[in-house]
Amino acid sequence: MPSVLFYLFAAITLVFGLLVVVLRNPVASALSLVVSFVGLAALFVSLDAYFIGIIQILVYAGAVMVLFLFIVMLLDIRAEELKKVNALPVVGGALLAIVFVAQLGSILANFDKGRTKLADVPVQFQHASRAQALPGVKRDLERESLPDAKLVGQALFQRYPFQIQLVGVLLLVGTVGVVILSKREVN
Protein backbone atom coordinates (compact mmCIF):
# COMPACT_ATOMS: atom_id res chain seq x y z
CA MET A 1 0.00 0.00 0.00
CA PRO A 2 1.37 3.43 -0.83
CA SER A 3 2.31 5.47 2.19
CA VAL A 4 -0.19 8.17 1.16
CA LEU A 5 -3.06 5.73 1.67
CA PHE A 6 -1.59 4.59 4.99
CA TYR A 7 -1.50 8.18 6.27
CA LEU A 8 -4.99 8.82 4.88
CA PHE A 9 -6.50 5.81 6.69
CA ALA A 10 -4.53 6.61 9.85
CA ALA A 11 -5.88 10.19 9.75
CA ILE A 12 -9.44 8.92 9.20
CA THR A 13 -9.09 6.54 12.14
CA LEU A 14 -7.69 9.21 14.46
CA VAL A 15 -10.03 12.05 13.45
CA PHE A 16 -13.18 9.98 13.73
CA GLY A 17 -11.89 8.40 16.95
CA LEU A 18 -11.49 11.91 18.35
CA LEU A 19 -15.01 12.78 17.18
CA VAL A 20 -16.34 9.83 19.17
CA VAL A 21 -15.19 11.59 22.33
CA VAL A 22 -15.93 15.19 21.30
CA LEU A 23 -19.40 14.94 19.75
CA ARG A 24 -22.32 15.49 22.13
CA ASN A 25 -24.90 13.53 20.14
CA PRO A 26 -24.52 9.81 21.00
CA VAL A 27 -25.82 8.64 17.60
CA ALA A 28 -23.31 10.83 15.73
CA SER A 29 -20.62 9.63 18.11
CA ALA A 30 -21.51 5.98 17.42
CA LEU A 31 -21.48 6.57 13.66
CA SER A 32 -18.06 8.23 13.99
CA LEU A 33 -16.90 5.09 15.75
CA VAL A 34 -18.08 3.03 12.75
CA VAL A 35 -15.98 5.17 10.38
CA SER A 36 -13.02 4.88 12.74
CA PHE A 37 -13.41 1.07 12.71
CA VAL A 38 -13.49 1.06 8.90
CA GLY A 39 -10.27 3.12 8.78
CA LEU A 40 -8.67 0.72 11.26
CA ALA A 41 -9.75 -2.26 9.15
CA ALA A 42 -8.14 -0.63 6.09
CA LEU A 43 -4.92 -0.26 8.08
CA PHE A 44 -5.03 -3.95 9.01
CA VAL A 45 -5.55 -4.92 5.37
CA SER A 46 -2.63 -2.69 4.37
CA LEU A 47 -0.46 -4.66 6.81
CA ASP A 48 -1.54 -7.96 5.14
CA ALA A 49 -3.65 -8.87 8.17
CA TYR A 50 -6.72 -9.70 6.11
CA PHE A 51 -8.36 -11.87 8.76
CA ILE A 52 -8.20 -9.16 11.42
CA GLY A 53 -9.40 -6.55 8.90
CA ILE A 54 -12.44 -8.61 7.95
CA ILE A 55 -13.20 -9.40 11.59
CA GLN A 56 -12.89 -5.69 12.36
CA ILE A 57 -15.59 -4.93 9.80
CA LEU A 58 -17.88 -7.85 10.55
CA VAL A 59 -17.71 -7.91 14.33
CA TYR A 60 -16.96 -4.35 15.43
CA ALA A 61 -18.36 -2.17 12.65
CA GLY A 62 -21.28 -4.55 12.19
CA ALA A 63 -22.50 -6.43 15.22
CA VAL A 64 -21.06 -4.38 18.07
CA MET A 65 -22.07 -1.04 16.55
CA VAL A 66 -25.62 -2.23 15.95
CA LEU A 67 -25.71 -3.17 19.63
CA PHE A 68 -24.30 0.26 20.60
CA LEU A 69 -26.89 2.05 18.48
CA PHE A 70 -29.65 -0.07 20.02
CA ILE A 71 -28.42 0.88 23.50
CA VAL A 72 -28.14 4.56 22.59
CA MET A 73 -31.70 4.51 21.31
CA LEU A 74 -32.85 3.10 24.65
CA LEU A 75 -31.29 5.98 26.59
CA ASP A 76 -32.70 9.49 26.80
CA ILE A 77 -30.55 11.34 24.25
CA ARG A 78 -32.11 14.76 24.70
CA ALA A 79 -31.39 14.82 28.44
CA GLU A 80 -27.72 14.09 27.71
CA GLU A 81 -27.55 16.85 25.09
CA LEU A 82 -28.93 19.46 27.50
CA LYS A 83 -26.31 18.81 30.17
CA LYS A 84 -23.71 21.55 30.46
CA VAL A 85 -20.06 20.78 29.94
CA ASN A 86 -18.17 20.70 33.25
CA ALA A 87 -14.70 22.20 32.75
CA LEU A 88 -12.94 20.32 35.58
CA PRO A 89 -13.50 16.78 34.18
CA VAL A 90 -12.60 17.99 30.68
CA VAL A 91 -9.30 19.47 31.87
CA GLY A 92 -8.61 16.38 33.99
CA GLY A 93 -9.30 14.11 31.02
CA ALA A 94 -7.05 16.20 28.78
CA LEU A 95 -4.22 16.04 31.34
CA LEU A 96 -4.70 12.29 31.67
CA ALA A 97 -4.56 11.91 27.87
CA ILE A 98 -1.34 13.96 27.71
CA VAL A 99 0.26 11.82 30.44
CA PHE A 100 -0.84 8.66 28.62
CA VAL A 101 0.61 9.84 25.30
CA ALA A 102 3.89 10.82 27.02
CA GLN A 103 4.13 7.40 28.68
CA LEU A 104 3.30 5.59 25.45
CA GLY A 105 5.92 7.60 23.56
CA SER A 106 8.51 6.84 26.23
CA ILE A 107 7.78 3.11 26.09
CA LEU A 108 7.81 2.99 22.30
CA ALA A 109 11.07 4.93 22.11
CA ASN A 110 12.79 2.41 24.39
CA PHE A 111 11.31 -0.76 22.82
CA ASP A 112 13.97 -2.13 20.46
CA LYS A 113 11.78 -4.84 18.88
CA GLY A 114 9.38 -2.10 17.79
CA ARG A 115 11.94 -0.86 15.26
CA THR A 116 12.01 -4.24 13.49
CA LYS A 117 10.04 -4.41 10.26
CA LEU A 118 7.37 -7.08 9.96
CA ALA A 119 9.08 -8.56 6.90
CA ASP A 120 12.26 -9.12 8.95
CA VAL A 121 10.49 -11.14 11.65
CA PRO A 122 10.60 -14.88 10.87
CA VAL A 123 7.35 -16.82 10.87
CA GLN A 124 7.20 -19.09 13.90
CA PHE A 125 6.20 -22.44 12.46
CA GLN A 126 6.83 -24.08 15.86
CA HIS A 127 3.41 -22.96 17.09
CA ALA A 128 1.83 -24.39 13.95
CA SER A 129 3.76 -27.65 14.27
CA ARG A 130 2.49 -28.10 17.83
CA ALA A 131 -1.04 -27.87 16.50
CA GLN A 132 -0.48 -30.40 13.73
CA ALA A 133 -2.57 -32.97 15.52
CA LEU A 134 -5.70 -30.98 14.78
CA PRO A 135 -7.24 -32.15 11.48
CA GLY A 136 -7.87 -28.71 9.98
CA VAL A 137 -4.41 -27.41 10.83
CA LYS A 138 -2.71 -30.54 9.51
CA ARG A 139 -4.60 -30.31 6.22
CA ASP A 140 -3.65 -26.64 5.78
CA LEU A 141 0.02 -27.31 6.57
CA GLU A 142 0.06 -30.14 4.01
CA ARG A 143 -1.18 -27.63 1.44
CA GLU A 144 1.74 -25.39 2.52
CA SER A 145 -0.49 -22.62 3.81
CA LEU A 146 -0.33 -21.25 7.33
CA PRO A 147 -3.76 -21.64 8.95
CA ASP A 148 -3.83 -18.22 10.65
CA ALA A 149 -7.46 -18.16 11.74
CA LYS A 150 -7.33 -21.71 13.09
CA LEU A 151 -4.15 -20.98 15.05
CA VAL A 152 -5.64 -17.80 16.47
CA GLY A 153 -8.71 -19.75 17.58
CA GLN A 154 -6.59 -22.49 19.07
CA ALA A 155 -4.42 -19.99 20.94
CA LEU A 156 -7.45 -18.16 22.27
CA PHE A 157 -9.34 -21.18 23.52
CA GLN A 158 -6.44 -23.40 24.63
CA ARG A 159 -3.89 -20.93 26.00
CA TYR A 160 -6.19 -18.24 27.36
CA PRO A 161 -9.40 -19.93 28.56
CA PHE A 162 -9.56 -17.83 31.76
CA GLN A 163 -9.24 -14.54 29.85
CA ILE A 164 -11.97 -15.61 27.40
CA GLN A 165 -14.25 -16.46 30.33
CA LEU A 166 -13.41 -13.12 31.96
CA VAL A 167 -14.36 -11.22 28.79
CA GLY A 168 -17.63 -13.17 28.67
CA VAL A 169 -18.41 -12.18 32.27
CA LEU A 170 -17.60 -8.51 31.50
CA LEU A 171 -19.95 -8.57 28.50
CA LEU A 172 -22.66 -10.10 30.68
CA VAL A 173 -22.17 -7.39 33.32
CA GLY A 174 -22.38 -4.73 30.60
CA THR A 175 -25.58 -6.24 29.24
CA VAL A 176 -27.16 -6.33 32.71
CA GLY A 177 -26.08 -2.71 33.25
CA VAL A 178 -27.76 -1.64 30.02
CA VAL A 179 -30.97 -3.39 31.03
CA ILE A 180 -30.89 -1.63 34.42
CA LEU A 181 -30.23 1.76 32.78
CA SER A 182 -33.06 1.31 30.30
CA LYS A 183 -35.47 0.27 33.07
CA ARG A 184 -34.56 3.38 35.08
CA GLU A 185 -35.24 5.63 32.09
CA VAL A 186 -38.65 4.05 31.52
CA ASN A 187 -39.67 4.66 35.15
Side-chain angles (χ1 to χ4, degrees):
M1 171 183 275
S3 61
V4 175
L5 288 177
F6 176 81
Y7 288 118
L8 175 70
F9 289 128
I12 287 173
T13 302
L14 289 176
V15 167
F16 282 93
L18 184 65
L19 287 176
V20 170
V21 179
V22 172
L23 290 177
R24 302 275 301 164
N25 186 341
V27 175
S29 181
L31 292 176
S32 296
L33 190 58
V34 169
V35 177
S36 179
F37 283 159
V38 170
L40 189 61
L43 288 175
F44 281 133
V45 169
S46 74
L47 295 172
D48 293 333
Y50 298 106
F51 176 72
I52 300 295
I54 290 171
I55 291 297
Q56 182 76 27
I57 293 289
L58 291 178
V59 174
Y60 288 103
V64 171
M65 285 313 302
V66 168
L67 182 65
F68 279 2
L69 285 174
F70 181 71
I71 292 167
V72 165
M73 296 298 177
L74 284 176
L75 300 176
D76 189 10
I77 296 173
R78 293 186 182 189
E80 291 296 322
E81 287 178 350
L82 294 176
K83 287 183 181 177
K84 291 182 179 177
V85 177
N86 192 352
L88 186 60
V90 171
V91 172
L95 283 176
L96 198 60
I98 289 169
V99 168
F100 174 72
V101 168
Q103 268 189 324
L104 186 64
S106 170
I107 289 171
L108 290 178
N110 296 322
F111 186 64
D112 293 333
K113 289 184 178 180
R115 295 186 186 101
T116 307
K117 293 183 177 179
L118 189 60
D120 297 336
V121 177
V123 177
Q124 296 180 352
F125 285 101
Q126 295 168 346
H127 293 296
S129 65
R130 283 186 219 142
Q132 276 186 345
L134 298 173
V137 173
K138 184 177 182 180
R139 188 174 38 244
D140 287 346
L141 289 175
E142 287 171 356
R143 294 178 188 162
E144 296 182 358
S145 66
L146 194 60
D148 292 342
K150 292 173 187 167
L151 292 176
V152 168
Q154 184 208 13
L156 281 177
F157 291 105
Q158 288 188 350
R159 283 193 227 163
Y160 308 106
F162 175 72
Q163 289 84 353
I164 293 290
Q165 294 292 324
L166 188 64
V167 168
V169 169
L170 286 175
L171 288 173
L172 178 65
V173 168
T175 305
V176 170
V178 166
V179 169
I180 290 171
L181 282 174
S182 64
K183 292 276 184 185
R184 189 185 68 186
E185 294 297 327
V186 169
N187 292 335

